[in-house]
Amino acid sequence: MGVHTVRPDRSFITAAPDYLHIGAWLQPSPVLEISRLNFLSRLKSRLRNNPTLRLVYPVCRQQERPDDIRFTAEGKSMEQLQAISEYFKAHKLRLVTAESCTAGLVAATLGGQPGCGSWLEAGFVTYAPEAKCRYLQVKPETIEKYNLTSEPVAREMVEGALHNSGANAAVANTGVAGPGGEDGIPPGTICFAWAFEHNGTTIVFSETRRFDGDRNEVRQAGTDYAIERVVYYHKQLQSGIPARSA
C-alpha cells in the first residue's frame, strides 16, 4: 500500500513499503526509486518547502498508476494537524474516537502525529450495528427508531466511547459514504457527535453534514471535519456556550 501526496500540477509522491516513487501522472517521465531510509527526510523536506502539498486518500497499491482515482478531497496539512496536536496537549485533552463510515481514518490521521501518545487514548471502529451496541452501548431501539445514520446514534456512540475509555474528549461518526444512499438517506450524509468531560458532566454536541464526492472523498472530508470540530467545540465549551448534557 502507499500514500499519495498530490500537487495541483498532478505530480505525485507515493510512499510504498519499500520505495518512494516520484513521478508524474499522464507524463512518460521515468519513476525515481529512493530507498526507504531516505523517505521521511525527503517527504518532510518537500512538504516544508511546498505548502500546497497535501496527504490524501485513498491509497494505491505499489506500482499502481492512480489514473483512475479522483483525488479531490484533500487531507489536512501537517501544519494544521500539528496545531491541533498542540491544542490537545495545551488543554490536557485525551481523545477517543468511535468511527463507523470513516472506518478508522480519524484515528489513523491523528495517529500520524509525533507525540500523539500523550493525547490519543483509543479508537473504536464499529461498522456493524451489532458492534455499535456491543462495544459502545448504542441501544438497539435507538437504531430502530432513528436509523443508523442519525444524530441520536452518533451521540450514543460518542458517549459509549468516552465512558469505555480513560479519555476526557471523544468524537464519533456514522453515515452513508456512498456510492448509493440507504433508507432514503442520500450518499455523503454523515452524522457526528463530540463529547467532553466538563466539571463532572459529559457535554455532547452533534451535527449532520453532507459531503460531495465519491466514497473515499466523502470519508476524507468527514475525517477532516470530525477532527477540526473537536477543537471548535472545546473552545465553545471553554467560552461557556451551552450544549446538551448526557
Side-chain angles (χ1 to χ4, degrees):
M1 301 292 287
V3 177
H4 291 278
T5 300
V6 184
R7 292 197 300 248
D9 63 2
R10 296 178 65 78
S11 60
F12 69 95
I13 301 172
T14 304
D18 300 314
Y19 298 102
L20 173 66
H21 302 292
I22 303 175
W25 302 7
L26 309 178
Q27 293 183 13
S29 58
V31 170
L32 173 65
E33 295 184 352
I34 301 174
S35 70
R36 187 181 182 186
L37 293 176
N38 293 329
F39 163 61
L40 286 178
S41 61
R42 296 289 185 95
L43 182 57
K44 286 180 180 179
S45 175
R46 283 177 171 266
L47 288 167
R48 185 166 52 248
N49 295 331
N50 188 341
T52 65
L53 286 171
R54 295 291 186 270
L55 293 179
V56 297
Y57 294 84
V59 296
C60 292
R61 292 185 296 276
Q62 185 178 354
Q63 305 290 355
E64 181 181 31
R65 290 178 60 83
D67 298 12
D68 58 340
I69 299 178
R70 292 185 293 162
F71 288 88
T72 60
E74 292 189 343
K76 290 207 166 296
S77 70
M78 287 188 174
E79 291 80 5
Q80 290 172 313
L81 288 171
Q82 182 62 33
I84 290 170
S85 174
E86 293 299 328
Y87 184 92
F88 289 166
K89 287 189 285 188
H91 291 85
K92 296 181 171 56
L93 294 180
R94 279 191 73 78
L95 184 72
V96 60
T97 64
E99 303 178 62
S100 184
C101 63
T102 53
L105 194 51
V106 173
T109 299
L110 293 172
Q113 282 301 295
C116 67
S118 66
W119 48 262
L120 184 58
E121 168 80 14
F124 295 89
V125 177
T126 54
Y127 220 89
E130 296 80 5
K132 292 177 175 65
C133 298
R134 183 180 303 117
Y135 299 111
L136 300 175
Q137 289 73 60
V138 175
K139 300 179 182 67
E141 54 266 31
T142 303
I143 296 174
E144 183 177 355
K145 182 176 181 179
Y146 296 103
N147 196 294
L148 275 173
T149 301
S150 64
E151 288 185 37
V153 169
R155 294 175 73 91
E156 290 190 3
M157 288 174 65
V158 83
E159 291 165 21
L162 196 61
H163 297 154
N164 288 336
S165 69
N168 57 15
V171 57
N173 67 63
T174 179
V176 181
E182 295 179 9
D183 298 325
I185 298 172
T189 302
I190 302 180
C191 298
F192 300 91
W194 300 263
F196 303 91
E197 294 291 355
H198 184 70
N199 295 331
T201 303
T202 300
I203 306 297
V204 181
F205 301 85
S206 62
E207 296 181 38
T208 298
R209 290 287 180 267
R210 188 179 179 192
F211 302 97
D212 293 327
D214 65 21
R215 179 178 178 84
N216 285 304
E217 290 170 343
V218 167
R219 292 176 63 240
Q220 182 63 61
T223 293
D224 293 345
Y225 195 78
I227 293 171
E228 68 187 33
R229 299 296 268 188
V230 176
V231 173
Y232 172 82
Y233 279 121
H234 186 260
K235 288 181 177 179
Q236 297 284 300
L237 196 60
Q238 298 295 100
S239 300
I241 295 178
R244 195 169 77 190
S245 299

